[in-house]
Amino acid sequence: VELRDQHVTDGFDAVAQRALRGAPGELLLVPGPVSLNAEVQAELEHPPRPHYGPDWVRVFDETTDRLRAIFRTTGDVVLFFGPGAAGLEAALHTFLHQSDRLLVPSNGVFGERLSRLAEACGVTVIRLPFAPKEPVLPEAVAEAAERAGATALAVVHNETGCGLVNPLEEICSEAGRLGLFTIVDAVSSLGGIPLEVDRWGIDVCVGVGNKCLAAPVGISPISVSRQAWERSGSADLGPKGSFLNLVTWRDARSRPDHHPHPTTMPTSTLHALHTAAGIVLEDPAGFLRRHAATAALAREGLSELGFPLYVEDERYASPVVTAAYALETMNLDDYMGWLASTCRIRIARGIDTGDEPVFRVGHMGLGADPEVAAAYLELTRHYLEERVPA
Ligand SMILES: Cc1ncc(COP(=O)(O)O)c(C=O)c1O
């Protein structure tokens, strides 16, 4: 790529280099997985360690406690080995009953996926679709729950596919009023968007390490209320096996002499999560503010450059991922390819945004940094000047 103004791209390469500390690879501005801070990356690269012994158990227990603090719960946390979808499936299997009627509101790809996961587990699902770009409305949830005789609710906090955050506190408040057992998909929100498991009355909340917590892929932390464990005693959905049954994970913890989990764990990943969670807890409110400030800057900057934002209503614009339409005069593949090849910065396409040319910029991991967002915007400005007809 020939550029008139080479110093501009050199400048951005320097930003990527600094963020990556000179490491090879790309700066991921996709909504997970994320580029890791050097300390977390070092844990991941540490030679393998065993998943037993007192030193390991101490780190495992400390990580569990750190996640408890991040979930804002005094209840239980299971560090489940697997991706978010496995954590969600385990939660559905472990706590729901054949007699349950599970309401699943949806305004995007992950809400729909949650419905399908629940159906695959044999749960009776009541879908409550919302129009694209519309948040899940608490009053509509309450009305549908009453109409359908729902006993449980499963809801996505942050719709990663289109950058829309649902008003979870208000949704949970309605669920609490109606006595619904509540399961939350916080896969793309945990750590990056305010979330209060105990105060909001969430029974089971499923996250992952590899998004806002800024850790590598491999562990799905799941918070479990006392009521949820009680419910698991009589859960009677079809065969749930052993690995996907969170009771197996809970019970393994009572034999820490061996190891406090039922399977071999990805030890480097756990150590990296331990470090990443420690960083979150140095200043949890500041950590949240940094995501929100980065998203605000990205939204403002993209708007100024003429990109129509996918979610127009500020109240529901995600603080961890921004989606926008490409300009009519530009080729989205060319733009994304240019970012990747010239600047080593990777952004994502919209998911479930129809045939429309939508792209997403993640504000997670090293991307949750206003300086990185400013650099990305400057680079985009440069791209438009150089390669897009006015
Ligand atoms: C909201 C949400 N739920 C569930 C998932 C699935 O997580 P995983 O890919 O780790 O299985 C994702 C992944 O991006 C997500 O964003």
Side-chain angles (χ1 to χ4, degrees):
V1 179
E2 271 306 311
L3 286 166
R4 230 181 324 123
D5 210 358
Q6 189 61 44
H7 78 272
V8 178
T9 44
D10 288 348
F12 292 115
D13 199 39
V15 170
Q17 292 263 15
R18 188 160 70 247
L20 295 165
R21 311 254 159 138
E26 300 168 307
L27 179 60
L28 297 183
L29 299 188
V30 301
V34 298
S35 293
L36 305 175
N37 130 338
E39 230 183 307
V40 178
Q41 180 77 36
E43 288 293 357
L44 192 58
E45 287 169 16
H46 191 283
R49 288 160 279 212
H51 62 288
Y52 38 76
D55 287 348
W56 164 257
V57 171
R58 182 186 57 75
V59 172
F60 185 85
D61 288 347
E62 239 174 60
T63 310
T64 306
D65 286 343
R66 288 179 183 183
L67 263 301
R68 207 175 264 129
I70 293 171
F71 273 117
R72 309 269 301 151
T73 183
T74 56
D76 216 350
V77 166
V78 173
L79 298 178
F80 184 76
F81 176 14
L88 287 166
E89 187 164 335
L92 294 161
H93 261 305
T94 306
F95 302 109
L96 292 181
H97 295 169
Q98 276 180 22
S99 57
D100 273 321
R101 294 174 61 74
L102 180 72
L103 183 69
V104 186
S106 165
N107 50 356
V109 66
F110 290 106
E112 178 52 29
R113 208 176 274 187
L114 191 53
S115 299
R116 278 194 271 120
L117 265 183
E119 281 169 347
C121 294
V123 184
T124 304
V125 170
I126 303 141
R127 281 180 161 76
L128 178 62
F130 287 82
K133 308 183 184 188
E134 193 177 62
V136 168
L137 296 169
E139 317 77 62
V141 168
E143 203 232 318
E146 285 186 305
R147 191 165 13 94
T151 57
L153 172 77
V155 63
V156 174
H157 188 188
N158 182 66
E159 256 303 342
T160 329
C162 62
L164 195 153
V165 64
N166 286 315
L168 187 62
E169 181 176 5
E170 291 77 10
I171 295 167
C172 289
S173 161
E174 291 297 334
R177 187 174 64 75
L178 297 172
L180 304 181
F181 183 78
T182 305
I183 298 176
V184 171
D185 171 347
V187 165
S188 64
S189 61
L190 180 64
I193 303 182
L195 173 65
E196 296 275 344
V197 161
D198 283 1
R199 263 205 320 113
W200 298 355
I202 299 168
D203 288 296
V204 182
C205 190
V206 179
V208 292
N210 54 285
K211 293 193 192 278
C212 300
L213 294 176
V217 177
I219 293 173
S220 168
I222 303 173
S223 79
V224 183
S225 71
R226 193 170 299 110
Q227 188 204 346
W229 282 133
E230 279 166 18
R231 213 176 198 272
S232 72
S234 53
D236 59 356
L237 284 179
K240 51 179 138 287
S242 172
F243 181 80
L244 280 183
N245 186 347
L246 293 174
V247 172
T248 309
W249 289 72
R250 179 195 64 188
D251 292 349
R253 281 218 307 265
S254 61
R255 32 182 195 85
D257 49 312
H258 180 42
H259 47 68
H261 35 79
T263 66
T264 306
M265 287 295 280
T267 47
S268 296
T269 299
L270 190 286
H271 273 268
L273 179 61
H274 176 259
T275 300
I279 293 170
V280 176
L281 291 173
E282 280 168 13
D283 177 12
F287 200 78
L288 293 172
R289 275 198 305 275
R290 193 146 55 77
H291 286 77
T294 307
L297 190 73
R299 283 174 65 77
E300 196 185 311
L302 287 170
S303 292
E304 270 175 25
L305 292 172
F307 292 98
L309 297 171
Y310 190 78
V311 176
E312 286 171 8
D313 190 333
E314 287 284 329
R315 290 173 300 169
Y316 305 115
S318 172
V320 300
V321 52
T322 298
Y325 292 94
L327 303 181
E328 279 176 14
T329 48
M330 74 191 264
N331 176 321
L332 183 54
D333 289 333
D334 183 70
Y335 167 58
M336 291 175 64
W338 182 85
L339 281 174
S341 62
T342 311
C343 321
R344 294 203 292 147
I345 289 178
R346 184 77 73 164
I347 63 169
R349 271 192 175 271
I351 322 180
D352 200 26
T353 46
D355 297 333
E356 298 170 315
V358 172
F359 64 92
R360 295 175 299 153
V361 184
H363 319 299
M364 303 172 175
L366 293 184
D369 178 344
E371 196 191 343
V372 169
Y376 154 75
L377 289 165
E378 215 19 61
L379 187 58
T380 297
R381 179 191 304 281
H382 184 73
Y383 172 84
L384 296 178
E385 283 168 6
E386 292 285 320
R387 291 173 70 97
V388 179

